[in-house]
Amino acid sequence: MINIFWFRRDLRLEDNTALEEALSSGMPVLPLFIFDSNITEELSHNDARVSFIYDTLSSIDKELKKWGSSLLVKKGEPQKIWQDLITTFEINSVFINKDYEPYALLRDSLIENLLSKNNISLKKYKDQVIFEEKEILKSDNSPYTVFTPYKNRWLQKPAEKLPLKARDSSVSRKNIYECNFEFPLIEMAGFKHSSMKVRPYDLSAINDYEKFRDLPFADKTSYLSPHLRFGTVSIRKVVTMASNINQTFLNELIWREFFMQILYNYPDVVTGNFRSKYDGINWINSESGFERWCNGETGYPLVDAGMRQLNATGYMHNRVRMVTAGFLCKHLLIDWRWGEAYFAEKLLDYELSSNNGNWQWAAGTGCDAAPYFRIFNPHSQQKRFDPKNEYVRKWVDDFNMSSYPKPIIEHEYARQRAISVYKQGILKH
Ligand code: FAD
């Protein structure tokens, strides 16, 4: 009889809660990964995130082989795969780290039913956040919808129960299931290798985080986001470092958890405005305007640099994400859901909770959002955050050349129009 540990968005062997629990359970642990076809079918064949997942799994498999084990990799519809696994192996329990996205919650509850019908228990652990679900609530037991009080509560709580101690995985390695599965080619999952790469994270500059975090040309942020997304680093390790070194940086990690608990407690945000008073906004939704925005051809250099960086690398600096997102919603009056979907397709760090939360923030429709009448002037943002045009020049080859597009819309006109359209939308509600 064996236990199975199912890797999902926790792609590491160190300080992995459910894996450690499985290895301490006393039964041999078989490590498993499934390329979930419900997710992969939506992606292009050279999606860089799948390449990253694949390369990470390959390293994990190599390490497991040193332990005398290997990774079982499957592709397909998870329920069907689990049905097959149940008939192939004699399974006692399945160990997973929790995933809080609506699709994952549904999938896991279906698998839990299937397992339980076969007398197999599903053991679920918190791993990708410090505080999950409803662990941080207001005194009336409702979720926080404003960041600062959430953050204050989050910061008070650690003294009581912050689970920061990294686990020592070497202790229980001997409980791994001995096997030698062949590690598949990426083509088995229906993909090709991508030339776009996830950068390693770098925490060496976070001492001075607040000095440069808003300066895209400095390019000194941590690049942690895809690693937190896919669990190639432990959040406990990162929070421990951040707590000792830089409070502003820690706040950003708390924003991540804030949006995760918003998504968990208010899953309707996936398709709808957090604040329904904005449901009446009459978006213009111009296809050609959207295309120019996607291609980085709006004639606003900071917006275009951001979109071109995104298209070329799968990254975009946070300040520039704020400017490009605000520009789409307010200057072009295009529904935030269009921009959110485009970012979801392109960002290497795409994370439903953070993407949705930040898009709704930029559109003014979110929980703790920028007020609708606060409209960034992309030129002033450029002067302030890229005063020597270093970032812009890096991404916009034709900056200041005659070939560079004229502004798609005049700023002051767009600002007035946005305020008036938002106002009318609110009145309609
Ligand atoms: P750093 O500045 O080094 O920050 C460290 C970590 O803190 C990040 O890795 C991230 O986990 C967290 N963090 C920082 N800023 C935010 C924030 N505003 N909201 C939530 N968490 C934050 N982040 C994603 O991880 N996935 C997304 O899909 C995503 N979409 C976004 C869409 C828009 C419109 C905007 C404005 C922001 C979005 N962000 C998203 C947040 C932020 O831009 C990225 O987390 C950050 O740029 C990643 O780079 P970094 O790891 O170097 O960040």
Side-chain angles (χ1 to χ4, degrees):
M1 197 165 245
I2 59 164
N3 285 333
I4 294 189
F5 168 68
W6 182 12
F7 280 105
R8 295 107 63 81
R9 43 169 301 162
D10 46 11
L11 305 181
R12 64 183 189 286
L13 292 169
E14 291 71 38
D15 192 28
N16 181 323
T17 312
L19 175 60
E20 291 306 321
E21 292 289 340
L23 288 170
S24 319
S25 69
M27 270 182 216
V29 178
L30 168 64
L32 165 77
F33 182 83
I34 301 172
F35 281 101
D36 179 344
S37 54
N38 295 327
I39 299 173
T40 56
E41 269 164 15
E42 305 286 314
L43 305 173
S44 79
H45 292 308
N46 62 351
D47 193 294
R49 294 159 296 193
V50 178
S51 273
F52 178 62
I53 291 172
Y54 178 84
D55 292 344
T56 306
L57 294 175
S58 168
S59 309
I60 287 178
D61 180 64
K62 284 196 184 97
E63 185 61 23
L64 284 171
K65 285 193 166 121
K66 289 189 206 153
W67 301 10
S69 185
S70 58
L71 184 64
L72 177 58
V73 181
K74 297 274 182 188
K75 180 214 161 184
E77 216 278 307
Q79 266 190 288
K80 170 141 195 338
I81 296 208
W82 276 105
Q83 189 62 65
D84 293 346
L85 290 168
I86 290 166
T87 47
T88 313
F89 295 98
E90 209 183 328
I91 308 169
N92 182 67
S93 303
V94 174
F95 288 73
I96 58 170
N97 288 313
K98 287 195 244 176
D99 182 332
Y100 310 100
E101 293 191 2
Y103 164 71
L105 290 168
L106 176 66
R107 177 196 59 201
D108 291 351
S109 77
L110 294 173
I111 302 290
E112 189 164 22
N113 276 342
L114 173 69
L115 294 174
S116 114
K117 279 189 197 137
N118 290 276
N119 295 321
I120 302 167
S121 59
L122 180 67
K123 298 189 183 295
K124 301 181 268 189
Y125 297 89
K126 171 175 78 169
D127 182 71
Q128 58 163 298
V129 284
I130 301 298
F131 297 116
E132 65 174 4
E133 300 175 353
K134 294 185 186 293
E135 280 190 298
I136 303 241
L137 293 175
K138 293 196 272 193
S139 50
D140 66 358
N141 282 337
S142 63
Y144 282 98
T145 56
V146 176
F147 175 70
T148 304
Y150 171 85
K151 178 192 77 178
N152 292 340
R153 188 73 197 103
W154 194 106
L155 288 168
Q156 280 162 7
K157 230 170 143 97
E160 299 155 29
K161 57 180 287 199
L162 196 57
L164 286 177
K165 200 171 164 303
R167 289 144 186 268
D168 180 4
S169 54
S170 60
V171 178
S172 40
R173 279 179 195 180
K174 62 179 184 332
N175 287 332
I176 202 85
Y177 180 69
E178 285 176 28
C179 53
N180 194 4
F181 297 113
E182 195 178 327
F183 192 74
L185 297 173
I186 194 169
E187 285 74 12
M188 161 269 197
F191 289 86
K192 290 188 202 137
H193 283 285
S194 166
S195 53
M196 208 180 261
K197 296 286 176 214
V198 168
R199 284 176 40 160
Y201 63 86
D202 180 0
L203 301 178
S204 60
I206 63 167
N207 279 312
D208 293 328
Y209 183 69
E210 59 282 346
K211 283 195 198 142
F212 55 72
R213 69 173 176 137
D214 261 328
L215 307 174
F217 64 87
D219 196 19
K220 277 185 166 176
T221 60
S222 69
Y223 281 81
L224 263 173
S225 48
H227 298 279
L228 290 172
R229 169 65 185 82
F230 296 108
T232 46
V233 67
S234 145
I235 184 65
R236 291 172 291 282
K237 176 176 158 183
V238 176
V239 165
T240 307
M241 279 191 72
S243 311
N244 294 331
I245 301 178
N246 191 296
Q247 186 60 42
T248 314
F249 184 70
L250 180 61
N251 287 351
E252 297 306 313
L253 296 168
I254 303 176
W255 268 108
R256 171 179 170 270
E257 298 207 356
F258 174 69
F259 285 133
M260 283 203 177
Q261 60 92 36
I262 289 286
L263 175 64
Y264 181 82
N265 290 304
Y266 302 95
D268 290 351
V269 294
V270 174
T271 49
N273 295 319
F274 182 90
R275 295 193 185 286
S276 57
K277 77 171 182 178
Y278 293 105
D279 287 354
I281 297 175
N282 225 343
W283 302 108
I284 293 175
N285 287 347
S286 148
E287 302 262 357
S288 61
F290 184 61
E291 204 179 315
R292 281 184 64 176
W293 178 82
C294 291
N295 295 337
E297 290 168 352
T298 65
Y300 281 88
L302 190 59
V303 174
D304 294 345
M307 297 308 294
R308 294 185 197 189
Q309 179 187 17
L310 176 65
N311 293 332
T313 65
Y315 283 98
M316 192 196 299
H317 186 277
N318 180 61
R319 167 61 45 186
V320 191
R321 292 188 203 199
M322 287 157 68
V323 174
T324 52
F327 188 86
L328 185 80
C329 304
K330 296 189 175 159
H331 287 71
L332 301 184
L333 282 169
I334 290 179
D335 192 327
W336 59 267
R337 282 159 278 230
W338 291 30
E340 185 201 20
Y342 191 74
F343 271 30
E345 186 192 327
K346 297 280 172 184
L347 280 173
L348 292 176
D349 66 16
Y350 166 59
E351 166 88 77
L352 177 55
S353 52
S354 289
N355 201 38
N356 180 278
N358 280 289
W359 268 97
Q360 295 227 35
W361 178 89
T365 60
C367 46
D368 192 1
Y372 75 87
F373 47 81
R374 188 187 298 160
I375 297 176
F376 285 137
N377 178 334
H379 290 306
S380 326
Q381 291 282 309
Q382 186 181 336
K383 273 198 196 114
R384 188 159 161 212
F385 298 111
D386 189 29
K388 294 186 188 154
N389 301 322
E390 289 163 81
Y391 173 78
V392 160
R393 273 182 216 284
K394 180 163 181 193
W395 298 107
V396 181
D397 297 343
D398 47 351
F399 175 60
N400 272 348
M401 290 181 176
S402 58
S403 57
Y404 184 64
K406 299 269 168 294
I408 183 169
I409 193 164
E410 197 264 319
H411 168 71
E412 191 47 35
Y413 166 76
R415 195 179 78 81
Q416 300 285 356
R417 183 179 70 171
I419 292 173
S420 133
V421 168
Y422 267 73
K423 258 191 199 153
Q424 283 165 25
I426 295 168
L427 282 178
K428 259 200 273 167
H429 180 65

